[in-house]
Amino acid sequence: MGVKIVKRFYLLIILAFALSGCASVRHAVPVNLSSSAQIIGIPDSFRAFWGQPNSVITQDFILSLKQEAGDCFSFDAEGNKIYSVLAISSGAENGAYGAGLLKGWSQSGTRPVFKVATGISTGAVIAPFAFLGSAYDQRLEEVYTTYSTKDILRPKIIFGDSLVSNRPLERLIEKYFDKQLLQEIAKEYYKGRRLYIGTTNLDTQQLVVWNMGKIASLGNDKALALFRKVILASAAFPGAFPPVFFQVEANGKSYDEMHMDGGITKQTFLSYDVLQCLDKAAEINGEKIRYKIYVIRNSYTDPIWKEVPDKLIPIMWRTVDSLLKAQSNGDIYQLYAFAKMGKGDFNLACLPDGYIPHSKELFDPVEMKKLFDLGFEEAAGGYNWKKVPPGINRD
């Protein structure tokens, strides 16, 4: 992000304090009911709260093992099932890199069918297309190379709970995540494959893991609206975009939950949030499984040197960037540790350190096209996946 863009962003934050409107009246879920709240109008449990006991995902994986078709696993020499699983991180406009990498991976002829795919923030936009495979590469390319800032957000005169309106982004989500896409995701769900998106419940400070295939399997307008809403919430960067509210029921009463960017709580999620549940389901079924874990980090993982001016705005932005990088690397280390516990093979893709973007706006289609092409070129000839996280010498 260019210095001029960052300055404008933080000037808007300062103005927000002066021009903020009245807050809306909340009816948040009481703490003792937060884990039992259900989406109004949705008859079953389609999500789980990370960090507390919950059998929802485990039970769904037990069903998954009964449903699965042979195209989402193979066997090793010892008779263990091998699953390919994918986690796509946050990264805003840098999601163009991950989108290009996926298309290049298809071009190489080595892209697997994923048993599980997860997405956070911009990764939540990418993950459904990645889950459905190469047939959706063209749509993914269009999303990440043809739209600019005005197509994603709109400035607000009265700020209230955000600096900008997310209505333009909402319209794009409505355009690309249609009934046909939901039907395709539902088909894969019935084959035993799973797609999860993460949002952050700000009231509880927890990652909420949404079972998007199960939502899609409902096949009605409420399911389509909920599917779109989850993606919108996962991509809602706090402060800039408004929160997304979900109407829920608990103990016979109606409440609202405030959700925002999944990247607040996790930059990537897969292992302890999802794969341990799949492990437990396999153990119950008497199966032994291993993984090929793929992580697409839509940003840098190593430190990038930059002289920071002794001014408030550059210092604030550099601090936020450093915090997010540290959080992301922590999530990646967790996945690596899971793989090293005998669970399988670890593979990481990230922006190359030598690439320096020169964006002229928050979402610069020219720069995003360059990022997309970079990801495509690196993957089309066979991507050189990193086998260890940053800071660890390869064994």
Side-chain angles (χ1 to χ4, degrees), residues 3 6-7 10-11 14 311-318:
V3 174
V6 174
K7 285 182 177 179
Y10 280 104
L11 282 173
I14 293 169
K311 295 180 180 180
L312 175 62
I313 293 170
I315 291 172
M316 288 176 65
W317 177 251
R318 187 66 167 174

Side-chain angles (χ1 to χ4, degrees), residues 38 42-48 56 209-211 214-215 217-218:
Q38 298 288 320
I42 302 296
D44 201 353
S45 182
F46 293 83
R47 60 187 190 157
V56 170
V209 179
W210 299 82
N211 188 334
K214 193 172 185 180
I215 293 171
S217 70
L218 290 175

